[in-house]
Amino acid sequence: MEEIGYQIYPQSFKDTNQDGIGDLKGIIEKLDYLYDLGITLLWICPVYQSPFDDNGYDISDYRSIHPRYGSMADMDKLLRETKRRNMKVIMDLVINHTSDEHFWFQEALKDPEGPYRDYYIFKEANHGKAPTNWRSVFGGSVWEKVDDNFFYFHSFSKRQPDLNWENPKMRHDIYEMIEFWLQKGIAGFRVDAINFIKKDQRFLDGLSDGNDGLVSCFDYCRNQKGIELFYQELSEIFKKYDCLTVCETVGVDYSLASNLIGESGCFSMMFDFNYTNIDIENEDYFRKRDWTIKEYRDALFLSQNEIQKIGWSAPFLENHDQPRSFNKLIHNSQAGNQAKKMLAVLFMLLRGTPFIYQGQELGMENFKRTTIEDFDDINAHSQYKRAIEEGFTEEEALSFLNERSRDNARTCFCWDNSRYGGFSDHEPWIKMTKEYPEINAKTQIDDPDSVYWFYKKLVHLRNNQFHQLLVEGLFEANEFDNENVISYRRVLNEASLCVICNFSASIQKIPYIDHDQVIINNYEELQICDEQLCLQGYQAVVLFKFKSYNSLQE
Ligand code: GLC
Ligand code: CA
């Protein structure tokens, strides 16, 4: 609860053996950087054995480290080194599916009568065709043919067959694996795509919603009735180890959240995506939405209010599946650092455990690619294909990817302005961004006015001066008649912090708010005109009031 989280995408964080791929030794090398920033909890994306069809989210052996990242000895060292710095480590737990190269799946293919067949979802063909018309998350059918009679099921890529959670033996093996890692001394898990583990067992066709003749699988394999029984079993293990878990649950309605978090929930906290995908519909990059600041505010505040009723959340601006927040949320390339700092203020003071995604603290930006071949991510290729199928031109399809592709966040972390941004001496596995001469850690650490220092200040507030208020304080929305300003309070006993963010490039006025002290300001001053607060473009301030006011009108 008290932690400040930081997400590491190992492949792109720091390379120490000069093969162009980040590694565990690289994380160890940079622990002091993270410690200095005030980070207390690391989420490390998958470093397990994998053929990398989906960048490690396709695991072929849960109990070993892929050699490109190092060895189990490196992992143990990382755990020792983090402990020394009082930092916790959570790993990714990917248990909706495995890789098709996993031993269980290989056995299931080899022997239809054997014990592993039922670890996965095999179904008979429907008059020679796929059993249902459901579309997988990465495009194409959820069904992959194995022979004339049988198909297997995959929610994501065809190289990520879904595990059959209806099978208690399979669940038992997964639980053993979870205990293996907890016994190693990790603090817990970020739990991947967990609301997918139960499928609608009727396996019925749906009404097609695209030119491919298929229908999104979401209604059939996300948040299905009965999933709570699997959550309950999982939570027994988590409880045994008193571990910290964050669930990734895209598309969860708040009415279902009490299965996930709070007293009767399985996880310590949740990543809520209801405000994250504000710019697109149904997770399709080409279904762009015209959203307003007010809509964004309302979605964010709904999330805060609803989760506050039930349990704990993990607010985030970015992750390895999202574009950079500056590009997604600020439609003004001139807005620069003020806007990046404004976004930081908005998010770092929300109720919950904030997670910073690597490079966010530097204000890293999307990277524009000019041809489809430059995209690495499997989903980028599928979204491109679907956009074309839906009648968009290649140029349009490319522009959707440049805005939304997951490659945007996966470019290498820039440590300095040397070649390859100090990430490696070798050409990186993914095309390097052009921004590293300006946006890099070294330059920003040397500049007290940088985005980095601003984040550091915000982290410091939460870890020190306002620790109790920011951890325990309630969230309360501020309402005023200005749709360009997002503002809320965190309130504990008699004290409150008031966050005010101008989301626009122009001057915005709001009613004066009484305060004892300006704690954070991304401008030199806070102007008052006509007895109103007069906010500059993208200005963000945090005001402290010792005796809390009940209403803004007072
Ligand atoms: C989660 C991960 C994403 C991955 C998917 C399938 O959404 O964050 O990167 O592709 O699950 O495992
Ligand atoms: Ca390496």
Side-chain angles (χ1 to χ4, degrees):
M1 307 284 170
E2 301 180 30
E3 315 297 339
I4 300 256
Y6 189 94
Q7 181 189 354
I8 293 182
Y9 199 66
Q11 221 154 323
S12 301
F13 193 57
K14 172 72 191 170
D15 175 22
T16 55
N17 63 344
Q18 315 312 336
D19 60 358
I21 302 170
D23 41 54
L24 288 173
K25 287 204 171 87
I27 302 177
I28 296 170
E29 191 185 303
K30 294 299 180 185
L31 283 178
D32 285 335
Y33 166 83
L34 298 168
Y35 181 80
D36 274 352
L37 184 58
I39 302 302
T40 64
L41 170 70
L42 301 181
W43 156 23
I44 299 178
C45 284
V47 286
Y48 313 97
Q49 274 290 354
S50 165
F52 292 96
D53 186 51
D54 183 21
N55 278 349
Y57 281 90
D58 47 323
I59 299 171
S60 53
D61 181 359
Y62 287 109
R63 296 178 195 230
S64 65
I65 302 291
H66 194 286
R68 63 152 66 168
Y69 294 124
S71 61
M72 197 55 96
D74 294 330
M75 188 68 218
D76 291 334
K77 178 158 185 216
L78 174 63
L79 292 177
R80 284 197 306 273
E81 290 295 318
T82 43
K83 210 171 235 149
R84 230 161 50 83
R85 293 167 177 83
N86 258 329
M87 290 164 129
K88 294 179 177 157
V89 172
I90 60 175
M91 306 254 299
D92 236 291
L93 183 63
V94 188
I95 50 181
N96 175 65
H97 45 265
T98 66
S99 156
D100 60 347
E101 291 186 18
H102 194 285
F103 168 76
W104 297 340
F105 191 69
Q106 287 302 313
E107 289 297 305
L109 283 183
K110 256 191 256 161
D111 182 5
E113 306 302 321
Y116 292 105
R117 184 74 164 190
D118 200 36
Y119 273 44
Y120 295 88
I121 305 169
F122 285 87
K123 282 252 168 292
E124 245 171 312
N126 181 1
H127 302 292
K129 292 203 324 250
T132 68
N133 65 344
W134 306 346
R135 180 190 307 113
S136 72
V137 179
F138 295 157
S141 171
V142 296
W143 299 102
E144 183 68 13
K145 205 168 187 166
V146 279
D147 55 41
D148 282 348
N149 283 326
F150 277 95
F151 287 78
Y152 70 85
F153 180 96
H154 59 91
S155 304
F156 295 88
S157 106
K158 65 177 179 201
R159 301 209 49 199
Q160 294 167 297
D162 280 42
L163 287 164
N164 176 20
W165 274 75
E166 307 297 329
N167 177 352
K169 271 199 78 220
M170 185 292 291
R171 301 206 299 276
H172 170 84
D173 283 2
I174 286 288
Y175 301 154
E176 260 189 14
M177 175 278 287
I178 293 176
E179 298 209 36
F180 165 83
W181 279 103
L182 291 172
Q183 281 163 10
K184 260 197 164 302
I186 64 168
F189 299 101
R190 175 267 188 182
V191 190
D192 186 74
I194 195 68
N195 54 332
F196 277 85
I197 58 179
K198 175 116 190 159
K199 327 294 174 210
D200 184 335
Q201 296 296 309
R202 293 170 301 170
F203 294 98
L204 298 173
D205 274 355
L207 213 58
S208 164
D209 62 8
N211 289 348
D212 56 2
L214 303 175
V215 57
S216 161
C217 66
F218 295 152
D219 284 349
Y220 308 94
C221 58
R222 233 164 48 173
N223 314 315
Q224 295 299 305
K225 255 214 196 90
I227 197 169
E228 60 282 0
L229 298 177
F230 301 150
Y231 290 159
Q232 274 159 22
E233 277 189 10
L234 272 171
S235 83
E236 292 305 313
I237 306 166
F238 294 155
K239 266 190 226 141
K240 225 165 97 183
Y241 292 84
D242 193 21
C243 65
L244 187 160
T245 51
V246 197
C247 57
E248 184 213 24
T249 42
V250 185
V252 165
D253 197 84
Y254 297 113
S255 61
L256 300 174
S258 60
N259 287 328
L260 300 172
I261 50 168
E263 294 245 303
S264 56
C266 172
F267 308 98
S268 324
M269 57 189 94
M270 72 185 274
F271 286 129
D272 177 18
F273 286 78
N274 289 309
Y275 57 80
T276 308
N277 293 328
I278 187 93
D279 57 323
I280 52 170
E281 211 115 23
N282 219 17
E283 286 151 63
D284 284 331
Y285 300 172
F286 53 87
R287 287 187 221 275
K288 284 177 43 164
R289 289 186 68 247
D290 272 332
W291 55 277
T292 62
I293 295 158
K294 172 151 192 332
E295 247 183 297
Y296 186 63
R297 167 199 186 273
D298 290 350
L300 186 59
F301 285 8
L302 183 70
S303 169
Q304 285 279 299
N305 280 320
E306 289 297 317
I307 292 179
Q308 180 158 267
K309 287 183 210 157
I310 310 166
W312 198 246
S313 74
F316 65 99
L317 256 181
E318 298 180 6
N319 67 32
H320 65 296
D321 296 328
Q322 290 286 323
R324 291 295 184 176
S325 54
F326 175 72
N327 304 84
K328 181 171 78 180
L329 298 174
I330 309 291
H331 294 151
N332 173 359
S333 55
Q334 307 303 311
N337 284 354
Q338 297 302 54
K340 292 174 182 177
K341 291 176 182 174
M342 184 275 287
L343 290 174
V345 172
L346 180 65
F347 267 80
M348 293 298 290
L349 274 74
L350 288 171
R351 180 177 176 278
T353 299
F355 275 77
I356 300 171
Y357 176 70
Q358 67 180 46
Q360 178 188 325
E361 77 277 23
L362 307 179
M364 280 180 77
E365 296 180 14
N366 281 357
F367 170 43
K368 192 161 179 217
R369 293 164 174 82
T370 49
T371 82
I372 180 67
E373 285 77 44
D374 282 350
F375 287 87
D376 172 80
D377 175 27
I378 178 169
N379 197 31
H381 290 271
S382 120
Q383 292 276 344
Y384 183 81
K385 186 164 164 273
R386 291 208 46 224
I388 302 275
E389 262 169 17
E390 295 295 321
F392 294 98
T393 64
E394 285 178 12
E395 209 184 333
E396 286 167 326
L398 212 56
S399 83
F400 299 141
L401 296 197
N402 275 321
E403 275 176 37
R404 254 286 165 180
S405 148
R406 308 194 296 179
D407 287 331
N408 281 312
R410 297 178 180 185
T411 55
C412 301
F413 192 99
C414 301
W415 294 101
D416 56 42
N417 62 3
S418 64
R419 197 162 176 229
Y420 305 133
F423 163 74
S424 174
D425 292 343
H426 186 284
E427 190 178 352
W429 69 277
I430 188 169
K431 254 194 144 181
M432 197 68 203
T433 66
K434 299 228 164 43
E435 74 211 6
Y436 60 88
E438 291 105 49
I439 304 180
N440 68 73
K442 166 117 195 5
T443 308
Q444 294 206 18
I445 290 170
D446 292 343
D447 171 11
D449 199 30
S450 63
V451 176
Y452 166 84
W453 274 100
F454 201 77
Y455 265 94
K456 189 162 164 164
K457 234 194 276 179
L458 293 169
V459 170
H460 192 80
L461 281 190
R462 196 184 142 103
N463 281 344
N464 301 283
Q465 199 184 351
F466 292 103
H467 181 71
Q468 205 191 354
L469 199 160
L470 285 173
V471 173
E472 294 171 24
L474 285 179
F475 168 89
E476 287 177 14
N478 281 343
E479 312 283 348
F480 17 70
D481 211 8
N482 185 326
E483 300 203 338
N484 290 308
V485 176
I486 301 187
S487 171
Y488 63 87
R489 280 167 293 166
R490 297 294 311 283
V491 184
L492 185 70
N493 303 327
E494 297 282 276
S496 75
L497 285 172
C498 177
V499 173
I500 308 170
C501 297
N502 177 3
F503 241 80
S504 78
S506 55
I507 291 181
Q508 300 293 329
K509 291 183 184 170
I510 56 164
Y512 181 78
I513 292 174
D514 186 30
H515 57 274
D516 297 322
Q517 207 185 338
V518 179
I519 302 293
I520 293 280
N521 189 351
N522 61 349
Y523 276 77
E524 298 249 309
E525 49 179 316
L526 175 58
Q527 287 186 13
I528 297 164
C529 39
D530 310 328
E531 291 176 21
Q532 291 186 304
L533 294 183
C534 192
L535 305 168
Q536 307 302 300
Y538 303 108
Q539 185 164 16
V541 289
V542 179
L543 308 177
F544 177 58
K545 177 88 185 140
F546 179 60
K547 274 248 181 225
S548 198
Y549 32 89
N550 291 327
S551 102
L552 287 171
Q553 275 69 44
E554 268 181 349

